[in-house]
Amino acid sequence: MDTAPPLPAGYEFSADPARVDVDRVHGWLSSDAYWAIGRPREKHERAMAGSLNFGVYESASGEQVAYARVVTDQALFAWLADVYVDPSVRGKGLGTAFVGRIRDQLKPYGLRRILLATEDAHGVYEKLGFRSLERPDQWMVHPFE
């Protein structure tokens, strides 16, 4: 898919970090996202400061309903992280449209790849052209925890 599917009516995408509701996002991630349970607020804020931050907002109220961040050198590589859609709006295609918009925002950088990790949302990402690593034996990780 070359362009992002449209957001459902009544929602808007933003790449403006000033719009991010930091309290809400930290609450979502630290209490409901399996990869970030218990994440301290200070660590969350440092992660945001070193990332491009994106959100989806209800058009009428301005309330944030989705969040994601991207760590990138803006030349070759990007890591899509902390993708979260509020449970109250899941199932509307919002997550797929949101990630598609993020991907489209990154296209002008001419990146070689965008990586991500997920336990349970492979289908969402596959709709947008993501696929499993072709050569996982070439990748390594150095865990600190």
Side-chain angles (χ1 to χ4, degrees), residues 64-86:
Q64 187 165 3
V65 297
Y67 172 78
R69 64 187 183 87
V70 173
V71 181
T72 182
D73 60 12
Q74 299 182 14
L76 300 171
F77 176 83
W79 177 266
L80 177 60
D82 289 341
V83 179
Y84 188 90
V85 176
D86 188 275

Side-chain angles (χ1 to χ4, degrees), residues 8-54:
Y11 296 96
E12 58 191 40
F13 170 85
S14 177
D16 180 358
R19 286 191 72 182
V20 174
D21 183 339
V22 179
D23 290 331
R24 184 176 183 100
V25 171
H26 178 255
W28 282 335
L29 296 177
S30 66
S31 67
D32 191 44
Y34 65 84
W35 65 90
I37 297 291
R39 180 184 292 169
R41 171 72 182 248
E42 180 271 335
K43 189 167 273 207
H44 171 68
E45 288 178 3
R46 281 191 323 185
M48 288 182 66
S51 303
L52 303 175
N53 294 272
F54 302 94

